Amino acid sequence: MDNVLETKGMFPVFRRSGSETRTTHYCAGCGHGIVHKLLSEAYTELGLQDRTVIVNPIGCAVFGYYYWDVGGVSAGHGQAPSMATAISRLRDKAIVISYQGDGDLAAIGLGHTLQAAARGEHMAVFFVNNSIYGMTGGQMAPTTLIGQKTTTSPLGRNPATDGMPLHLCELVNSLRLPVYVERVSVADTARIMQARKAIRHALEIQRDRKGYTFVEILSPCPTSVGLKPLDAAKFVIEQMEKEYPLGCLRDRSAEAPARPEPKPWVRLADFFGDDGREAPRHEAAEVKERHFKFTGFGGQGILSLGLVVADAARALGLETTWLPSYGPEQRGGDAQCTVVTSTHLIGAPAVEHPELLVVMNQAACGKHLHTVRPGGLALVDATVRVDPAEIPEGVRVVQIPAIDIAAAAGVPKAANVAMLGGLIALEALGIPQHALVEALERSFAKKPALIPLNKQVLQAAIDHCRHHGLAGELP
Amino acid sequence: MTKFVKGNEAVVIGALYAGAEGYFGYPITPASEVAHKAAEYFPATGRVFVQGESEDAVAYMLYGAAAAGCRALTATSGPGFSLMQEAISYMSATDIPTVIVDVMRAGPGLGNVYPEQADYGQVVHGGGHGSYRCIVLAPGSVQEMCDLTMLAFEKAFEYRTPAIVLADGQLGQMMEPLRLPKEEAKPVDTAAWATQGTQETRRNLLTSIYLDAPAQEAMNLHLQEKYRKMDRAFQRAELYRCDDAEAVLLAFGSSARTARSAVDALRAQGVKAGLFRPITLSPFPIDALLPLAGKKLWTVEMSAGQFRDDATLHLAKAGKLAEIGLINRMGGMLIAVTDIVRTVKEAL
Ligand code: SF4
């Protein structure tokens, strides 16, 4: 084996910076040169050269693009499968190759390797396994053999402290979507012939749009393994092949379905139903900003109540913000949201001192009642005990049995809608009833069957307020 | 047409209108709705959606997408952004355009999911290895979540560099009316540099390794020249009631919304207050800030003062030593308008 390449599909002069030579940067006896040659022969003979993009790894093959006359991209360490994923998804006519060594693919990149294989990405992975980190100076790799000496296992790999070798073909073969998995070797001529077939077959599968292929190539690394070239090849045959038996683990290329052609793009205006018309804008000379806060616990429909109010306001052309509590308390704890409406651009969407507070449980009352601004209104469910001493100066508290009204109508989940009825009766929002009812209907766009029942609850709450003389505008 | 949407959804709409072909996502609160909406809208309109296995994988998917000459994006929050830094450094060094949206949450560490602005340092100063920085845009409304995502794509591809939209949990989670963009961006021709898997692009190579020190230095000088060009041509800021102002609040993102309310409240109480809101955090809009240097200045921010320190430094580099006060909260606590008003009034 020498380190001079003469092959179709490669650059006539290697694109090595400042060098006019056809000598590779690989050590004498290195397997990479052979694999490079087999790969470039394969994509050229299959007529795929123009369509091929090779993602170059970190490791000794980092400079693969010196030689391969195809599209070249450099990956971050272990990330070639991630990059190849995106290229192949977005350029479905490209033949995408991830060429990686064992440190890159099996150590730092193992997760990405398996995830891309599990997703069945359309890419050909060529995994050059030489049992050691080459470029960084002969350190132990996940594929280092038991007892093998490296610069980070000077006494030999000890399973007790260094674990056992990883078998990549077998790992990939445990997944469902890979189409073709084979382990070959380039340690002698007969083996190279088999490797040539495997590499070619992997590219045929890419050409035929069949899916993910994984070819592991056992390869000599005389420099880092610390052997003369011929002995390094012997090491592959006599030791590595014992741990990593050669052979085809899977070939489903005949039965695998071809990747479908991508769907055409949909015009966005059509998708969003944009008719080009602008919503009416609410014109007013004087700035009038209103601050509402809705509180209770998760599951009471607090956020949706605020959303109906916000949606009604914005449909009138008002500037509107809706800010929910989000995160863990959404799941069962306190829930609250704030709504600000204005005739002019709104500053903070968070509300410190609301002019209207809606309270649907006891905890929210204790937490929020004191924040209502003087002259404001708190609409509180009747199940909540309001301590008169806690009502701030100048704040009106109105209690209605929203939870009971909804339960009586057979829709306990609609207590928030009953609260909305209360707000309508009290004219507390400065938003006309029809706008609120329309927003309520829009909120049930996906479950229109529920609209009549909810409107019944809404009316029951309005009637309750009128019956009890609870009406009139916000002070 | 107007839609009433969360800031997180507005990002997806902006990306679609900007011609994004792919979304590569990984869930994290409070940015997850971006991925949810992308998972709905991208495939339904013939585009690509992929959920990656981690934020670092997703960032390299963006690198792969842009290497293929395609517009793609992701959205994340602080911890995820930290994981993306390596890929962002690679992309910067390779002249690769991409768009990442950071919907900031409180940190450091796992922190919580409430809004903070303490990713400022790691986002604005290029938090990965090497001398690079990104375009950083700071939206202040749901509309800008859409519009600045579009602008981020435009500028990323113009300068061939990563562009970050720096938002926060409040902007991501709040809903406001969004006017849909009028038209879809025209596709950009990337054949000159991208590896598209075509004959025309076969000789294109995207790499960031320069073994020789002089070549590596030349590459660094090329980046710095690009950033200088950006600094000259692409600074944006909004000034609100600054003309006659004696006290000026400096704030970006959702803090600028709070500060705007504070300015109105101060004006109502007879204090001549104004707001300086950077829209580009990188390039820093120093040209617009410089004339305000003689006024009383405060930053209003949800961090320990990262933005304040940066503004001070930018002014100092431009020859103005200014003392900038700090009105801040951390940990997901929102800044109260009343606190800003009190601080400013006490100082005047
Ligand atoms: S160190 Fe090993 S793998 Fe690297 S070039 Fe030399 S022989 Fe090849």
Side-chain angles (χ1 to χ4, degrees):
Chain A
M1 279 171 270
D2 64 28
N3 58 346
V4 178
L5 302 178
E6 197 69 63
T7 308
K8 40 192 162 180
M10 292 205 173
F11 287 109
V13 172
F14 295 154
R15 76 176 153 185
R16 217 170 154 172
S17 49
S19 130
E20 285 293 296
T21 134
R22 282 191 59 87
T23 310
T24 73
H25 74 287
Y26 295 110
C27 311
C30 174
H32 273 299
I34 302 164
V35 183
H36 281 24
K37 197 166 152 171
L38 297 177
L39 181 54
S40 58
E41 270 173 15
Y43 61 64
T44 314
E45 286 169 12
L46 292 171
L48 301 174
Q49 186 178 9
D50 287 340
R51 288 166 53 195
T52 298
V53 176
I54 300 186
V55 185
N56 295 255
I58 290 190
C60 283
V62 67
F63 295 118
Y65 57 76
Y66 283 169
Y67 318 109
W68 293 310
D69 182 3
V70 297
V73 185
S74 287
H77 206 7
Q79 294 283 5
S82 315
M83 297 182 62
T85 292
I87 298 170
S88 141
R89 293 282 186 124
L90 290 165
R91 297 279 178 198
D92 88 309
K93 296 286 176 291
I95 304 294
V96 184
I97 293 171
S98 176
Y99 184 105
Q100 301 177 263
D102 43 327
D104 188 70
L105 180 143
I108 190 167
L110 178 64
H112 310 306
T113 297
L114 294 180
Q115 298 284 358
R119 290 192 301 263
E121 298 293 346
H122 286 254
M123 63 168 79
V125 178
F126 296 110
F127 168 42
V128 177
N129 176 2
N130 53 24
S131 81
I132 201 158
Y133 281 79
M135 190 185 225
T136 43
Q139 295 87 358
M140 180 172 53
T143 48
T144 294
L145 303 182
I146 297 162
Q148 187 180 341
K149 289 185 175 148
T150 71
T151 50
T152 49
S153 58
L155 303 175
R157 181 176 188 162
N158 174 1
T161 51
D162 307 324
M164 290 291 203
L166 271 185
H167 299 80
L168 267 296
C169 276
E170 286 75 5
L171 277 175
V172 171
N173 197 39
S174 71
L175 303 168
R176 292 198 200 166
L177 287 179
V179 171
Y180 171 55
V181 183
E182 175 154 4
R183 185 181 287 119
V184 295
S185 160
V186 289
D188 67 17
T189 315
R191 287 172 165 81
I192 291 173
M193 295 318 287
Q194 183 55 33
R196 162 180 282 150
K197 270 197 220 149
I199 290 171
R200 199 184 153 98
H201 188 48
L203 291 192
E204 284 166 348
I205 291 169
Q206 299 310 315
R207 178 197 62 195
D208 300 340
R209 304 169 68 82
K210 293 291 181 100
Y212 182 90
T213 61
F214 187 90
V215 176
E216 175 175 345
I217 302 135
L218 304 185
S219 168
C221 169
T223 306
S224 292
V225 176
L227 297 167
K228 294 205 184 72
L230 280 178
D231 294 335
K234 239 167 87 184
F235 170 82
V236 172
I237 294 168
E238 289 172 7
Q239 311 218 22
M240 283 187 74
E241 290 181 10
K242 244 191 247 146
E243 183 71 42
Y244 305 112
L246 304 185
C248 177
L249 287 81
R250 174 188 301 188
D251 185 357
R252 298 182 182 163
S253 56
E255 62 267 29
R259 175 187 197 178
E261 294 293 324
K263 287 197 207 103
W265 277 28
V266 175
R267 213 176 131 252
L268 295 173
D270 297 339
F271 179 71
F272 288 114
D274 187 355
D275 52 12
R277 273 205 309 250
E278 284 301 326
R281 287 187 73 79
H282 195 95
E283 302 290 346
E286 194 201 345
V287 180
K288 181 80 184 122
E289 201 167 286
R290 309 191 85 147
H291 297 192
F292 311 136
K293 191 185 258 186
F294 303 86
T295 65
F297 63 80
Q300 283 186 315
I302 298 295
L303 301 191
S304 6
L305 173 57
L307 200 49
V308 167
V309 172
D311 190 40
R314 69 96 201 172
L316 293 172
L318 287 164
E319 295 290 341
T320 309
T321 62
W322 172 85
L323 178 66
S325 57
Y326 57 92
E329 78 256 84
Q330 257 179 335
R331 296 173 204 100
D334 295 345
Q336 61 145 308
C337 65
T338 58
V339 173
V340 181
T341 71
S342 177
T343 50
H344 289 68
L345 218 67
I346 295 168
V351 170
E352 286 173 61
H353 298 293
E355 61 206 64
L356 169 67
L357 174 72
V358 172
V359 176
M360 287 186 67
N361 76 341
Q362 192 68 47
C365 188
K367 208 164 150 192
H368 299 288
L369 186 58
H370 68 95
T371 65
V372 182
R373 70 176 65 167
L377 169 74
L379 180 63
V380 183
D381 187 78
T383 56
V384 176
R385 273 169 292 104
V386 181
D387 179 353
E390 280 174 13
I391 301 173
E393 254 312 286
V395 170
R396 178 184 172 203
V397 174
V398 175
Q399 291 201 265
I400 62 166
I403 292 174
D404 288 351
I405 291 171
V411 257
K413 281 182 102 175
N416 59 344
V417 177
M419 274 297 192
L420 183 65
L423 294 173
I424 289 172
L426 291 161
E427 295 176 39
L429 297 163
I431 299 169
Q433 178 168 353
H434 73 87
L436 290 162
V437 173
E438 282 162 23
L440 181 67
E441 288 175 355
R442 278 196 295 278
S443 75
F444 284 104
K446 283 186 187 144
K447 300 174 207 155
L450 297 177
I451 294 177
L453 213 50
N454 275 277
K455 280 170 85 170
Q456 203 185 306
V457 172
L458 188 82
Q459 195 54 52
I462 295 173
D463 292 346
H464 171 91
C465 293
R466 300 231 163 103
H467 186 73
H468 289 83
L470 301 170
E473 212 179 341
L474 191 62
Chain B
M1 183 177 119
T2 309
K3 263 173 89 78
F4 194 57
V5 297
K6 280 190 174 188
N8 281 342
E9 178 171 353
V11 163
V12 180
I13 293 172
L16 288 170
Y17 276 90
E21 295 164 64
Y23 186 94
F24 297 88
Y26 188 81
I28 183 168
T29 312
S32 292
E33 292 87 355
V34 186
H36 301 170
K37 283 296 163 187
E40 190 181 333
Y41 293 167
F42 271 64
T45 55
R47 291 151 174 91
V48 169
F49 174 88
V50 178
Q51 179 165 332
E53 63 270 31
S54 62
E55 285 96 346
D56 51 323
V58 158
Y60 277 100
M61 287 176 186
L62 292 184
Y63 177 10
C70 300
R71 294 190 168 197
L73 80 157
T74 194
T76 186
S77 189
F81 197 88
S82 305
L83 281 174
M84 295 183 177
Q85 293 284 18
E86 183 201 33
I88 297 171
S89 169
Y90 271 69
M91 286 189 266
S92 298
T94 314
D95 293 321
I96 286 282
T98 196
V99 172
I100 298 173
V101 181
D102 180 0
V103 185
M104 288 183 280
R105 56 191 259 173
L110 190 52
N112 65 38
V113 300
Y114 305 113
E116 225 189 45
Q117 296 178 307
D119 289 355
Y120 183 97
Q122 72 153 340
V123 169
V124 171
H125 296 142
H129 59 287
S131 296
Y132 75 91
R133 59 187 162 93
C134 303
I135 292 171
V136 183
L137 306 178
S141 63
V142 168
Q143 185 69 46
E144 282 192 351
M145 290 288 269
C146 170
D147 296 352
L148 294 191
T149 301
M150 289 185 80
L151 185 65
F153 273 107
E154 183 191 321
K155 293 297 170 183
F157 276 75
E158 180 182 333
Y159 290 103
R160 282 182 59 191
T161 197
I164 317 296
V165 177
L166 188 60
D168 59 64
Q170 183 170 314
L171 281 164
Q173 295 295 327
M174 71 191 264
M175 289 176 94
E176 284 185 312
L178 169 73
R179 282 184 313 285
L180 292 192
K182 285 265 169 299
E183 38 186 65
E184 302 182 35
K186 307 251 170 320
V188 276
D189 185 3
T190 56
W193 55 268
T195 50
Q196 302 173 346
T198 57
Q199 187 188 10
E200 190 189 5
T201 63
R202 193 180 90 199
R203 293 261 157 112
N204 288 343
L205 169 67
L206 294 157
T207 186
S208 62
I209 183 167
Y210 300 90
L211 280 189
D212 303 326
Q216 181 68 33
E217 186 181 46
M219 179 261 158
N220 266 283
L221 291 171
H222 151 76
L223 282 186
Q224 295 308 315
E225 180 51 36
K226 167 155 67 177
Y227 301 148
R228 264 194 299 278
K229 225 166 86 191
M230 266 162 35
D231 287 344
R232 279 193 300 270
F234 182 47
Q235 297 182 16
R236 279 197 196 175
E238 182 194 37
L239 299 178
Y240 178 62
R241 304 181 92 165
C242 278
D243 283 349
D244 63 339
E246 289 161 9
V248 174
L249 304 173
L250 320 179
F252 67 94
S254 59
S255 294
R257 297 289 294 262
T258 313
R260 191 187 166 98
S261 289
V263 166
D264 290 341
L266 283 161
R267 289 266 174 183
Q269 297 175 35
V271 178
K272 286 183 178 163
L275 167 67
F276 170 83
R277 178 172 80 93
I279 294 170
T280 55
L281 292 173
S282 166
F284 191 90
I286 184 65
D287 296 349
L289 180 59
L290 211 47
L292 304 174
K295 301 176 191 281
K296 280 230 109 348
L297 303 177
W298 286 265
T299 61
V300 178
E301 61 180 301
M302 294 183 279
S303 90
Q306 298 179 11
F307 172 50
R308 189 263 315 263
D309 294 349
D310 213 27
T312 309
L313 195 60
H314 279 287
L315 282 172
K317 279 166 78 179
K320 294 270 186 196
L321 289 179
E323 201 182 310
I324 305 178
L326 174 65
I327 302 171
N328 72 329
R329 292 300 293 268
M330 291 181 281
M333 298 301 293
L334 294 178
I335 301 162
V337 172
T338 42
D339 286 344
I340 303 173
V341 169
R342 189 170 10 86
T343 308
V344 171
K345 283 179 76 177
E346 273 169 17
L348 286 178

